[in-house]
Amino acid sequence: MTDAAPAGGPAGPGAYVLGVDSGGSGLRVALGRAGEPEPLATTVCAEPVRTGPGGIDAGHLLDQLLPAARELLARATAAASAEARGNSAAAHEVAAVAVGAAGMATLGEQLRAELPGALADALGVRRVALAADAVTAYAGAVGQRPGAVVAGGTGMIALGTDLKEWHRADGWGHLLGDSGGGAWIGRAGLDAAMRAHDGRRGGSVALLDRLRAVFGPAEALPGLLYPRSDRPAVLASFAPEVAACAGADPVAAGILRQAAGHVAEAAAAVCPSPAGPGGEADGDGETGEVALTGGLFRMGEPLIAPLREELARLLPGVRVTVATGDPLTGALRIARALAAGDLRLPRHPTMLFVPLEQETGQRRETAAGDESRSG
């Protein structure tokens, strides 16, 4: 007897699941079991998945994912008990895969067209979910509860759900938005430094000193910055300098207060409405949860303290948490929920895509089980 599910049915707790996180720093893969909260093993493919004229390159993703998945499965099989090793079909069964990728919502058409079939052929996987990285960040930070997550790094995006639909704010890149993110803070800090260099109002001598320490002469900065293809990352690299100066420099502190305001506004735009009638808080006096995730919030209190103040002003009673799970954790949670037939996060054509035939098969299986129980 195996832990594999009949087509469309829930898998047993021992079935394997895979979570995948594809981002700018490479591809990460986690192997777990459907009934266990922690991953069995993880691995990293350091090469980022290519993006071409057709969007995210499905072939390049598979070229990295499949060998990594097989290696993780082989390691798990070798470590299994004698009973599990005696049943190789159960040992290698992959009940569900969830892939989270940066750019999935706008550049994931090829992945949605090719990955479900390719993963079924290569791994025998029964369920596949393809998610935007903001969705896997949400699942890692909040799980399958209503709430909101702010994912902050070089950029900034807020995502919320009432478990009926998704709501997004910002995440539009450093030229059109990402307000309050690392690149935004870094640029504001460099602007204040250049103002001090010129003798203009709003300048910060402390930040000018940090500019010189990090980049060299201020007048050379445009030549260093503008030719770079990774300008957002270069700008964001100065954000920790702004945070380091904030305790003694009012200009730096003001930049972080403005950033906190932008982040809080994005969170307020996506946080689900209170459950109580008339919009009041619930019985615990809380209107919901806002989870913070990403490297931006490693700045600590210089940013988080004003952010908590702004959230309390815009969302009275909101519970602010720092996420314990990252997007890879979220991908694995989505895979477990898929395997169990218990994915409660809302489907969406680009944000959280689950092929229609999987959903139809699950509904048939559930209906058949209900009918047999009633009989």
Side-chain angles (χ1 to χ4, degrees):
M1 183 173 179
T2 79
D3 285 305
Y16 288 123
V17 294
L18 282 167
V20 182
D21 175 47
S22 175
S25 59
L27 189 80
R28 299 187 299 156
V29 186
L31 178 71
R33 291 194 186 274
E36 298 178 10
E38 298 298 325
L40 297 173
T42 62
T43 190
V44 178
C45 309
E47 184 180 359
V49 176
R50 291 192 295 263
T51 299
I56 302 170
D57 189 329
H60 190 222
L61 187 149
L62 288 166
D63 285 345
Q64 297 189 69
L65 169 58
L66 293 179
R70 291 181 178 120
E71 176 193 350
L72 290 174
L73 285 163
R75 282 161 50 188
T77 302
S81 66
E83 180 182 354
R85 285 200 305 270
N87 191 336
S88 59
H92 287 86
E93 181 71 31
V94 179
V97 176
V99 179
M104 178 73 79
T106 53
L107 300 170
E109 184 175 354
Q110 189 181 125
L111 298 187
R112 290 185 287 272
E114 298 183 19
L115 253 60
L119 291 170
D121 291 343
L123 300 175
V125 65
R126 298 176 181 276
R127 298 190 188 281
V128 176
L130 304 178
D133 57 343
V135 171
T136 52
Y138 184 97
V142 181
Q144 296 205 92
R145 303 187 305 275
V149 65
V150 177
T154 297
M156 194 283 298
I157 185 171
L159 192 70
T161 183
D162 55 4
L163 301 187
K164 296 177 182 177
E165 58 183 339
W166 293 104
H167 301 279
R168 167 186 173 164
D170 214 335
W172 305 122
H174 76 293
L175 293 179
L176 298 176
D178 284 354
S179 300
W184 187 96
I185 293 171
R187 186 200 176 283
L190 291 170
D191 175 84
M194 297 305 290
R195 286 175 176 274
H197 174 268
D198 295 346
R200 289 180 288 145
R201 186 176 62 182
S204 165
V205 174
L207 290 173
L208 177 59
D209 288 343
R210 297 313 307 152
L211 183 160
R212 290 169 174 156
V214 174
F215 296 108
E219 56 271 18
L221 182 60
L224 293 173
L225 180 62
Y226 293 148
R228 298 281 292 262
S229 60
D230 59 345
R231 283 187 298 275
V234 177
L235 292 171
S237 71
F238 196 68
E241 305 294 338
V242 178
C245 291
D249 180 53
V251 174
I255 290 170
L256 294 186
R257 280 195 301 272
Q258 291 179 55
H262 288 309
V263 173
E265 287 170 358
V270 303
C271 194
S273 298
E280 70 269 16
D282 61 23
D284 297 324
E286 295 180 345
T287 59
E289 176 181 1
V290 174
L292 309 177
T293 187
L296 180 70
F297 302 108
R298 287 199 288 270
M299 289 184 187
E301 286 302 297
L303 176 63
I304 290 178
L307 176 55
R308 289 183 186 276
E309 292 176 5
E310 287 297 308
L311 286 169
R313 182 177 66 84
L314 295 175
L315 294 168
V318 74
R319 179 162 47 96
V320 182
T321 62
V322 176
T324 56
D326 64 2
L328 184 61
T329 302
L332 201 57
R333 285 178 175 173
I334 291 173
R336 288 195 187 98
L338 269 181
D342 186 36
L343 182 60
R344 300 189 295 278
L345 295 175
R347 280 57 159 182
H348 185 276
T350 59
M351 298 287 286
L352 181 55
F353 173 74
V354 178
L356 181 61
E357 60 269 20
Q358 294 180 191
E359 299 282 20
T360 304
Q362 182 180 351
R363 285 195 294 269
R364 287 200 197 104
E365 190 71 25
T366 301
D370 292 343
E371 184 176 340
S372 66
R373 284 191 292 273
S374 65

